[in-house]
Amino acid sequence: MDTELYKCRSFSSCIKAAYFLFSTNIMAIFKKTWLPAILYSLILSTSVMMYMPGKALNSAGMNKPMVTLSIMLSIYILDLAIGTWFLASIISMLNGKNFKLNLTRSIILTGISIVLSFVIGFVLYSFKEFTAIFLSSVKASATTTIVAPIGVMVILTIIFGIILLPFSFSSMKYIVDHTFKLKDMFNRDYFIGWHYWGFLFITLFITLIIASLVSLIMLIPLFIITIAQGVNQLGIIDGDQSGVPGYFPYLLFMTSVVTMFIFVYLSMWADFVLYYAYGSIEAIEKEKKEAIGTINKEDKPNTIK
């Protein structure tokens, strides 16, 4: 695909360019990504069904907790694997590189994301528990004991978000441009991302708002069916008769599959926005280097031979 990547763009231009790239190449995109997209939507829909309250699933989970845990872990691993495959398919369209090379970098990036998620989760949980224990020891009020740990987690989450935002640039550069090494993502390119923190923030923030509004509208049918199924299953657990047709769980699953399939491609558009934000930063950095090189040449004294 002709993406015209390295060009100075505003955040609104990055969003428009991403939409134009997606809308004008939708058939080519679908042709190259339909299989991982369908599998991804099936796995996400299975996750939705697993978390739905149900008498049969509840009983099975209580009787065989290790089997249930194994199934949930398998779904999580499949989710990561197919998501990585889908990401590699997207990047292969954008940079024109071999799929295996892009898949390797996608796997590395997914691995780093998993490690960071565990570290951040551990830190958040540790601070939450430490705050709760400390407040209990000083005999703080019940309200403070509940609210303060949540406040600590919110503050730490914001801090982590601020620190990790530049990685959106360095990680995109690592996965798109194979001339750069993994270590560059954590030093040089990360600090370049820091210089454009505001640009990255406003770009991703506006993208998040647009994606959230579209998702809210798109998810309405799934929300309605999910709530109906959840309320019905809670009633069955309490001993009531089912108030929905027997095919209702299948309707829920198929609605979830269709919704998640659309959602997967909506997330692709968000990836395109970040892709163009990366290209814009690279173009600006290149112009700066050229300008500095021109100034240095002009400042050199003339020599007489």
Side-chain angles (χ1 to χ4, degrees):
M1 291 189 297
D2 185 13
T3 60
E4 196 180 1
L5 174 61
Y6 300 109
K7 178 181 177 181
C8 296
R9 291 182 173 92
S10 63
F11 73 89
S12 59
S13 296
C14 290
I15 294 173
K16 291 177 182 177
Y19 172 75
F20 182 78
L21 177 65
F22 184 84
S23 60
T24 55
N25 296 278
I26 189 166
M27 293 307 298
I29 290 171
F30 182 79
K31 184 178 179 181
K32 294 182 179 180
T33 61
W34 68 270
L35 181 56
I38 289 177
L39 293 176
Y40 203 13
S41 60
L42 286 171
I43 290 297
L44 292 174
S45 299
T46 303
S47 301
V48 172
M49 298 299 293
M50 287 292 295
Y51 284 102
M52 286 294 297
K55 187 174 182 179
L57 287 175
N58 204 35
S59 300
M62 295 295 292
N63 295 329
K64 299 179 179 179
M66 291 306 298
V67 174
T68 304
L69 181 62
S70 299
I71 292 173
M72 295 181 69
L73 182 60
S74 299
I75 291 173
Y76 179 69
I77 292 172
L78 284 172
D79 187 5
L80 289 173
I82 297 173
T84 304
W85 175 17
F86 186 67
L87 176 61
S89 300
I90 295 172
I91 300 302
S92 296
M93 290 188 299
L94 296 175
N95 64 8
K97 301 292 183 181
N98 183 274
F99 174 77
K100 290 184 179 179
L101 295 176
N102 285 314
L103 182 60
T104 300
R105 295 210 164 203
S106 297
I107 292 171
I108 293 172
L109 202 58
T110 300
I112 293 171
S113 300
I114 293 171
V115 172
L116 286 176
S117 297
F118 273 112
V119 171
I120 293 171
F122 176 77
V123 172
L124 290 177
Y125 178 79
S126 299
F127 271 88
K128 174 179 173 293
E129 291 299 309
F130 174 79
T131 304
I133 293 171
F134 173 76
L135 292 173
S136 298
S137 65
V138 298
K139 297 180 179 180
S141 65
T143 303
T144 304
T145 305
I146 295 172
V147 174
I150 297 174
V152 170
M153 290 184 68
V154 170
I155 293 171
L156 286 175
T157 300
I158 293 172
I159 292 173
F160 278 123
I162 293 171
I163 294 172
L164 294 176
L165 184 62
F167 278 117
S168 62
F169 165 78
S170 61
S171 60
M172 179 58 73
K173 183 173 182 176
Y174 169 75
I175 200 170
V176 170
D177 192 342
H178 291 187
T179 61
F180 290 88
K181 299 180 180 179
L182 180 61
K183 64 179 182 179
D184 296 327
M185 188 169 67
F186 296 96
N187 46 50
R188 180 182 59 186
D189 293 332
Y190 174 79
F191 291 108
I192 292 176
W194 260 113
H195 289 299
Y196 297 90
W197 193 95
F199 172 72
L200 290 169
F201 175 78
I202 191 65
T203 302
L204 297 180
F205 182 69
I206 297 299
T207 302
L208 178 62
I209 290 176
I210 295 172
S212 298
L213 291 174
V214 175
S215 298
L216 184 62
I217 297 171
M218 182 180 65
L219 290 170
I220 288 176
L222 181 59
F223 282 150
I224 294 172
I225 298 176
T226 300
I227 292 171
Q229 175 70 359
V231 171
N232 181 67
Q233 289 297 317
L234 289 173
I236 293 174
I237 292 173
D238 289 337
D240 298 335
Q241 293 293 322
S242 175
V244 299
Y247 63 80
F248 205 77
Y250 303 102
L251 177 62
L252 170 60
F253 183 74
M254 291 308 301
T255 303
S256 179
V257 170
V258 173
T259 303
M260 293 303 171
F261 185 77
I262 299 172
F263 182 79
V264 164
Y265 281 99
L266 178 62
S267 67
M268 179 187 291
W269 165 76
D271 289 334
F272 286 172
V273 174
L274 182 57
Y275 172 73
Y276 278 112
Y278 147 72
S280 177
I281 292 173
E282 285 288 273
I284 294 171
E285 285 294 300
K286 182 179 179 181
E287 288 185 359
K288 283 184 178 180
K289 290 179 181 179
E290 290 176 350
I292 292 172
T294 302
I295 292 172
N296 290 337
K297 287 181 180 179
E298 292 177 351
D299 289 342
K300 285 183 179 179
N302 295 324
T303 57
I304 302 174
K305 294 183 179 180

